Amino acid sequence: MGRIVVTEFMSLDGVMEDPGGAESFRHGGWSFRFERDDRGNKFKLDELLAADVLLLGRTTYLGFAKAWPTIEDPVGFAAKMNTMPKYVVSSTLGDDEATWANSTVLRGDVVAEATALKERFAGDILVEGSAQLVHTLSEHGLVDEYRLMVYPIVLGSGKRVFGDLADATVLNLDEIIPLSEGVLAVTYHPKGAPSEGAAAVEPSDRR
């Protein structure tokens, strides 16, 4: 059984929109105001290399599909992104638009499609960006882990990681990794969900 892992860059007020500055959001590129250091880069690389599949919403998919095939890097991040299986949830994206290598368009019910992916793959199913998709997965209890790189900035507006949920979701803390300039890499799993993370670490225990 696979695990759906949601990984996001997030402001202190929960905004995830346009951290890289490619979406014309008025605060676009906000993550580049900070240096997350080598530990942050390792955190992102390790989670990608551990994943079997990418699951994305339409907007994030199109942005990634435009950028990643042209990127080269010595550590293999781009190579993994470009070669791994990708599933994009969209009722409007045509097969002729899903040109990024190893891409499949999922046009059925989101909950059913995501559940089928968890049954099909044994490893991590990584979800990046994709606010609407994340909200749907969270609402239906399909997220097994949240990996949030939290930046010390308050944006005041924009799409948020957590939308309006019918019921409260209790999260267990797996790990906190303090990075440079006040950035934190924080891993949670919903209470009752399986976790492969380390034991929870209180902020006061990590310097």
Side-chain angles (χ1 to χ4, degrees), residues 6 8 127 129-139 143 146 161:
V6 168
E8 305 289 354
V127 182
S130 311
Q132 184 176 346
L133 173 60
V134 169
H135 294 170
T136 300
L137 296 174
S138 298
E139 177 65 35
V143 179
Y146 294 94
V161 174

Side-chain angles (χ1 to χ4, degrees), residues 96-136:
D96 59 335
E97 298 175 280
T99 57
W100 197 11
N102 301 320
S103 292
T104 302
V105 182
L106 303 177
R107 298 188 177 87
D109 177 77
V110 175
V111 174
E113 295 281 17
T115 301
L117 285 180
K118 293 181 72 169
E119 293 172 350
R120 179 179 176 184
F121 294 96
D124 287 352
I125 301 166
L126 202 62
V127 182
E128 299 189 43
S130 311
Q132 184 176 346
L133 173 60
V134 169
H135 294 170
T136 300

Side-chain angles (χ1 to χ4, degrees), residues 21-75:
E23 301 175 33
S24 300
F25 177 49
R26 71 187 183 96
H27 296 303
W30 50 268
S31 69
F32 292 137
R33 297 172 65 174
F34 303 87
E35 173 56 56
R36 71 188 186 203
D37 73 34
D38 290 341
R39 290 169 298 173
N41 295 333
K42 184 177 185 301
F43 180 87
K44 297 303 294 182
L45 179 61
D46 286 350
E47 72 178 8
L48 178 65
L49 295 180
D52 289 348
V53 180
L54 277 178
L55 176 61
L56 305 170
R58 182 181 187 276
T59 300
T60 299
Y61 172 84
L62 289 175
F64 281 10
K66 181 179 179 180
W68 280 108
T70 66
I71 296 174
E72 296 183 6
D73 69 85
V75 297

